[in-house]
Amino acid sequence: MTELTCDELDALLPELFDGRLSPEVESASLRHLATCDQCRIVVGDLERVGEMYREHGRLTLPDDARARIRAILEQG
Amino acid sequence: MTTAPQPSIVALFERLADGVYTLAARMTRDRHAAEDIVQETFLRALTRLHTWRGEGSIDAWVYRIAYHQSIAVLRRRRDEPTDPATIRDLVTDPEGSAERRVLTMELAARLDAAIGALAPTLRAAFVLRDVEGLSTRDVASALELSESAVKMRLKRARLALRRELEDYL
């Protein structure tokens, strides 16, 4: 496969994050990232944004609401 | 047509309650509205569970109900300003040293503000895919969009959040 441009890699980012690229295209993406500082910074930042939200962005239903709703559903 | 085996509503609630609450709270930025949405979502799921045919994941089906509920709340209060105090209630007190708690609370507040600044449709795609970890296909099903539309929204959301949070990257 020919080498990817920055724009081509940009278009592939959703699939790259999803791990849904074919092995050939994934290899080409990783080759591009190995040689392109700009794209590597963008991809690294976007991964970090996702990590921060997974770590700090999930919310927990408060216990009192959980108990109340579960009781309603159990009666249903 | 055969009907897919139906999971118990209580088991569904136990598995998805926090995810549905996260979606609703991130969409509405209001803890009490989010609790109401969680209740209404699972009550509707209870009464409609027999209509679920096993097409797509049941998680996406439940999230779709919650998404519609959240959008309905946003529409009802379109002209009402959001009370900034309500979102602070969403951040639970973190554990650890006092210094770490302060830093975590600061970061959580920045994350709240950044995600709150996104358009609701971008917010929903980001929460379901990147926070709750649904597949792109399930996010598309929950939001009744094509997968390519979900990818476009995710990309816009991620780039906007990157801009908002660059101090932390």
Side-chain angles (χ1 to χ4, degrees):
Chain A
M1 180 172 186
T2 56
E3 298 307 304
L4 296 175
T5 65
C6 295
D7 284 346
E8 286 169 334
L9 179 77
D10 187 63
L12 293 171
L13 285 183
E15 282 85 1
L16 182 64
F17 282 120
D18 275 359
R20 291 175 62 185
L21 293 176
S22 69
E24 187 184 15
V25 179
E26 185 173 335
S27 293
S29 302
L30 296 178
R31 277 201 308 277
H32 181 91
L33 287 172
T35 58
C36 179
D37 289 345
Q38 189 63 36
C39 285
R40 197 163 55 244
I41 290 169
V42 171
V43 169
D45 283 358
L46 296 183
E47 285 180 336
R48 178 78 187 116
V49 166
E51 284 168 10
M52 284 196 299
Y53 275 98
R54 278 189 290 282
E55 187 176 351
H56 299 287
R58 294 200 81 218
L59 302 168
T60 303
L61 182 66
D63 288 343
D64 55 344
R66 185 184 302 274
R68 186 184 72 242
I69 297 168
R70 189 195 295 114
I72 293 170
L73 294 173
E74 284 171 345
Q75 287 169 8
Chain B
M1 180 185 287
T2 55
T3 304
Q6 291 169 3
S8 113
I9 191 69
V10 175
L12 261 183
F13 173 72
E14 296 291 353
R15 186 155 57 82
L16 297 178
D18 288 339
V20 168
Y21 179 68
T22 297
L23 175 67
R26 292 295 179 204
M27 291 292 288
T28 63
R29 312 195 73 208
D30 181 323
R31 166 186 166 162
H32 299 295
E35 289 179 8
D36 290 345
I37 288 169
V38 173
Q39 178 171 319
E40 187 61 24
T41 294
F42 285 97
L43 282 175
R44 288 191 182 213
L46 174 64
T47 58
R48 297 178 187 176
L49 202 51
H50 66 283
T51 68
W52 181 66
R53 303 289 182 198
E55 298 155 351
S57 85
I58 195 159
D59 294 14
W61 183 77
V62 172
Y63 280 115
R64 189 186 310 164
I65 299 172
Y67 176 68
H68 281 291
Q69 294 289 313
S70 302
I71 291 292
V73 168
L74 292 179
R75 284 196 178 126
R76 278 201 296 274
R77 68 162 193 226
R78 188 177 292 162
D79 299 324
E80 298 172 19
T82 304
D83 178 358
T86 57
I87 194 67
R88 285 190 216 113
D89 292 343
L90 295 175
V91 182
T92 51
D93 197 16
E95 297 177 353
S97 68
E99 185 182 7
R100 178 172 160 70
R101 286 211 309 272
V102 169
L103 289 173
T104 303
M105 292 289 278
E106 272 181 21
L107 174 59
R110 280 294 298 275
L111 295 176
D112 286 339
I115 201 170
L118 294 176
T121 51
L122 302 188
R123 227 181 292 164
F126 180 78
V127 167
L128 291 178
R129 178 70 191 88
D130 283 2
V131 182
E132 293 305 318
L134 269 67
S135 68
T136 305
R137 174 182 292 189
D138 278 354
V139 177
S141 173
L143 303 184
E144 297 173 289
L145 295 169
S146 66
E147 287 193 48
S148 60
V150 169
K151 289 174 189 169
M152 184 67 72
R153 289 174 192 214
L154 277 174
K155 185 173 170 181
R156 288 172 57 197
R158 287 165 174 162
L159 289 174
L161 292 171
R162 177 182 179 237
R163 278 195 303 274
E164 290 289 322
L165 298 167
E166 63 182 349
D167 296 351
Y168 289 87
L169 298 173

